[in-house]
Amino acid sequence: MPGEVTVLVSLIAAVVAAVFYGVASVMQAIAVRAASNREPDQTSAGVDPGLVVRMLHQWRFLVSIVLDMLGFVAQLIALHRLPLFAVQAFVASNLAVTAVVASWLIGVKLSWREWAAVIGVVAGVALLGSTAGAEGAAQVGAVFKLALIVAIAGLAVVGLAAAKLNEPYRTTALGLVAGLGFGVLSIAARVLDGFSPLELARDPAAYAIAAAGIISFMFYATALEGGSVTVATAAVVLAETIPPAIIGVIFLGDQTRPGLAGVAWAGFFLAVASAVMLARFGEAHQTEDVAMADAVARRQANAGPAAAELLSWWPVDLPLFPALPDTTGVS
């Protein structure tokens, strides 16, 4: 019974992580557009080192960082009991959260196909969650952990090259690189020896987590700077889900509950395939999504000083007051 309660707590933690990550993605998309120096007609601009610094002046970015940190803590709790493939699939469902929140905060319009893909992500994750067994007991050595650091260094080089691409390839490529980095972060979090300051200082996996978090976020922010939040997040989800799942099964001994392997893989592929479809549909209105994010990001800048002070917390442009009739007589 205690084991079942622990699994339930881990499943809840995985869901909480997905919600926090999804909401944070949309808030970061708005903050990136507000802090960007990129011209609308620029097809490629490399990586802007000052982007994150300028984003620190955006309250949405600061709130999103808190949400990301809370999401990571919830993800750590989930990784303590669940296999990597289950946790990563749950985290992948944050794309559905992103799509729904973006439709509310930014005004992105989702077609029936995109809503179907959102439902597919949720259904796939639900199937997977029902089959998750205990995390594997396999231990890894220092070589495995050092390989994670080398992988992050390689991704940094690939990401710099991806930032030079033209759209629509730039957003997808940067999202994939960022997703692979977040995948390395998840693997490193899974193989941590402990959480005491001394254990963390001695563990190469802790340094892999720090490096992966910084590099992956920088590339993700760069992807959001010129692309659709749905497309960028879908690329991240795809890349951060499949590789860690495979590594968890092959190297870390992850497994499903007895007799449910087929259901688990069906749920996994349903969730990932739905995320890919959501990304594919999102490409059709990427320009529109970016324009809407720009409009929301610039609302405060275009408002008067008093309005900006009173309404700077408001997430979207909403008609708070009905339009008054024209009494000037000017037609």
Side-chain angles (χ1 to χ4, degrees), residues 236-314:
V236 169
V237 163
L238 179 63
E240 76 173 337
T241 303
I242 296 179
I246 295 173
I247 290 174
V249 171
I250 296 176
F251 295 102
L252 304 179
D254 288 343
Q255 57 187 344
T256 65
R257 290 162 57 190
L260 296 179
V263 177
W265 285 111
F268 180 85
F269 285 114
L270 176 60
V272 174
S274 298
V276 173
M277 286 193 296
L278 193 54
R280 181 67 186 89
F281 298 145
E283 289 177 358
H285 47 72
Q286 172 163 309
T287 303
E288 179 186 0
D289 289 0
V290 174
M292 288 180 176
D294 274 337
V296 175
R298 292 171 181 170
R299 176 192 60 80
Q300 181 177 341
N302 293 333
E309 182 178 354
L310 290 174
L311 301 177
S312 60
W313 56 272
W314 198 256

Side-chain angles (χ1 to χ4, degrees), residues 141-233:
V143 174
F144 183 93
K145 296 179 179 180
L146 290 174
L148 297 177
I149 298 178
V150 173
I152 286 296
L155 288 174
V157 175
V158 175
L160 290 174
K164 297 294 184 180
L165 297 175
N166 294 328
E167 295 294 358
Y169 309 106
R170 182 175 184 268
T171 297
T172 301
L174 285 169
L176 288 173
V177 173
L180 289 172
F182 286 129
V184 172
L185 186 152
S186 298
I187 296 170
R190 163 67 189 281
V191 299
L192 280 173
D193 292 331
F195 298 99
S196 69
L198 184 59
E199 288 175 314
L200 291 174
R202 293 177 175 177
D203 196 343
Y207 298 98
I209 289 175
I214 294 171
I215 291 174
S216 300
F217 183 80
M218 186 69 242
F219 288 136
Y220 180 52
T222 304
L224 292 175
E225 187 180 15
S228 164
V229 60
T230 304
V231 174
T233 306

Side-chain angles (χ1 to χ4, degrees), residues 37-76:
N37 287 336
R38 189 171 182 265
E39 296 298 328
D41 58 347
Q42 278 186 283
T43 55
S44 64
V47 176
D48 181 1
L51 177 61
V52 174
V53 176
R54 293 192 300 273
M55 288 171 65
L56 290 173
H57 298 284
Q58 304 291 326
W59 69 266
R60 293 182 182 88
F61 177 68
L62 299 178
V63 173
S64 73
I65 290 299
V66 174
L67 292 176
D68 275 337
M69 292 176 62
L70 293 174
F72 181 64
V73 171
Q75 187 176 359
L76 282 178

Side-chain angles (χ1 to χ4, degrees), residues 26 30 59-60 100-108 292-293 295-300 311-320:
V26 180
I30 300 173
W59 69 266
R60 293 182 182 88
V100 173
V101 175
S103 68
W104 172 50
L105 290 185
I106 299 179
V108 174
M292 288 180 176
V296 175
R298 292 171 181 170
R299 176 192 60 80
Q300 181 177 341
L311 301 177
S312 60
W313 56 272
W314 198 256
V316 289
D317 292 322
L318 295 179
L320 298 180

